[in-house]
Amino acid sequence: MTRRDVHEVALCGPGPAGSQVADRALGERASSSPGGGAVAGPGGESLRAVRQFYFLVDDDDDDDDDDDDDDDVTRAETMRLQKESALRQIFDKVSFHQAVVFARRPAWGSAVAERLVAAGFAAEFIGGALPQRRRMDVVAAMRAFDARVMVSTDLTARGVDLARVNLVVCLDIPRDRETYLHRVGRAGRFGARGVAVAVVTARELKALRALLCEGVERADGRDAIALEPLPKRVPADWYEHDLSEEDGGRLERLNAAAAAKAAAKAAKAAAKAAAKAAALDEDAREAVAEEEEEEEEEEEEAYDADSHEEDEEARMWAWRRAWASYWWWWWRGRADEDEEEAEDARRRGAHAAEAPPWIVPPIHASMRSF
C-alpha cells in the first residue's frame, strides 16, 4: 500500500475506521522500510531539520490528587485555556508558513480552530468524525494555501504530506512514541526545516520525556530526543524555507487578512470599551447629580426648619409685645382716671386715695405656648 493509498483510506474512509486502517498500514510500511521510514525515528531524514522544544504552562494540580470531580473539571478547562494562550504566544514568536496543531480530543480541537478563526487566522479543523467530503476539503485548503493553520486529531499525524508546514504544536501528549514522531514529522516534509513545540505542564513534560526514552537502547542505535524550552526569540533560519512567488503572495494575503481582522476586532473591542466607559461616566454623572440634588433638598429642609423656628419666635415676641402694650394702655387709662378722681377730690376738699401701683399682670396660660 503506497502513501497515497493510505492517504485516501484515512481521508475518504468511513470516519475513525479509515484512520485506524491508515495507522496500521503506515506502521507496516515504516517497519518494513530501511531506517524505519521517513518518520520512524529521530534519525529519519524528515526529523533531522526539525528543532523540538517544549512550552511549559502552570498546573496547580501537579502536587494535589485529592480534590473532587467538580474541581477537576474546572482545572481541566483552565488548563485548556492556558494552553490555547500558549499557542497564541508561539504563533507570535514563529512566523510560520503553515502550521499543524494536534489535539487528541475532537471537541477541543474544533473549539481551538473556531477561536483561531475568531482571532483572524485562516484555520480549519479535521478529525475522524467529520464527513469524508469535509476532511478532503480541509486538506485541499491546506495544499492550495487557502488555509494557514490545521487543527487536527491524530488522524493526520501519519500519511498526509503538506509541503509548506514548518510549525507543529502538540497541545497534549500522544499515546505512544511513534505517534509523537509522526506528529513532529509533519514539519519536516521533504527535508525542509521546521519547529515542533509541545505545550505541556511539568507533569506532562516528565511523562513525555519518559515516553520518548522508550526503546532507545535497542540494537538500531536510536538516541533519545532532547527537548529544550522554547527560547524567547526563535531565529527565522530555524524554520523558514523558500516559497514560490505564488505561495509568497498567498502568504502575504493571508497575513494581511489576519491583520485586518485582528485590527477590526481590536477596534470593536476599543469601541465597546469606550461605550462602557461612557456609560460608566454617564452613570457617574447621574450619581453626582443625584447626590447634589439630595444635598440641596437637605439644605432646603434645614433652611425651612430654621425659618420656621425664627417665625415661631417672632410670633411669640409679637404676642408678648401686643399683650404688654394692651395692659400698658389699660393701666395708663386707669392712671388718668385716678388722677381725675384725685383732682376732683382735692377740689372738694376730700382726702385723695393713693393710686394703685402700675403693674403688669402675669401672662395668661393661653399665651405661654408662644
Side-chain angles (χ1 to χ4, degrees), residues 322-332 358-362:
W323 175 82
S325 177
Y326 169 81
W327 285 108
W328 186 84
W329 287 108
W330 186 84
W331 281 109
R332 180 66 180 271
W358 190 87
I359 61 173
V360 177

Side-chain angles (χ1 to χ4, degrees), residues 134-309:
R134 178 58 185 158
R135 297 199 299 267
M136 295 181 67
D137 289 344
V138 171
V139 174
M142 287 291 288
R143 287 178 172 167
F145 219 160
D146 293 330
R148 194 177 177 207
V149 180
M150 183 173 71
V151 184
S152 175
T153 62
D154 285 327
L155 171 70
T156 61
R158 313 176 185 214
V160 178
D161 292 333
L162 301 171
R164 304 181 193 88
V165 172
N166 57 350
L167 173 64
V168 168
V169 180
C170 298
L171 294 180
D172 50 24
I173 300 175
R175 293 184 176 87
D176 52 55
R177 170 191 169 93
E178 296 302 323
T179 301
Y180 171 80
L181 297 178
H182 280 288
R183 284 183 176 186
V184 172
R186 297 310 98 197
R189 310 316 298 157
F190 313 110
R193 294 187 298 270
V195 170
V197 184
V199 182
V200 292
T201 64
R203 175 182 294 180
E204 289 174 337
L205 177 60
K206 184 177 180 180
L208 179 59
R209 281 176 167 162
L211 187 71
L212 296 179
C213 288
E214 291 180 357
V216 296
E217 297 181 354
R218 296 184 305 184
D220 56 13
R222 290 191 301 176
D223 297 326
I225 298 173
L227 294 177
E228 299 178 357
L230 184 69
K232 293 182 178 180
R233 178 181 173 276
V234 181
D237 58 6
W238 286 4
Y239 56 86
E240 280 191 348
H241 53 82
D242 294 335
L243 293 175
S244 65
E245 184 177 351
E246 182 180 0
D247 286 347
R250 288 176 178 172
L251 180 59
E252 290 180 1
R253 287 193 295 273
L254 289 174
N255 287 334
K261 192 167 185 177
K265 185 177 180 181
K268 185 177 180 180
K272 186 176 181 180
K276 185 177 180 180
L280 292 176
D281 291 342
E282 182 65 24
D283 293 340
R285 286 194 294 269
E286 291 180 357
V288 170
E290 291 177 357
E291 185 176 353
E292 291 177 351
E293 185 176 352
E294 290 177 358
E295 291 178 354
E296 291 178 358
E297 291 178 354
E298 291 177 357
E299 291 177 357
E300 290 178 358
E301 291 176 357
Y303 176 79
D304 293 341
D306 294 341
S307 299
H308 180 72
E309 292 179 359

Side-chain angles (χ1 to χ4, degrees), residues 1 18 57 62 93 137 142 163 169 207 219 252 301 310 341 352:
M1 179 178 288
V57 296
D62 278 346
K93 291 184 178 183
D137 289 344
M142 287 291 288
V169 180
E252 290 180 1
E301 291 176 357
E310 293 176 358
E341 290 178 358

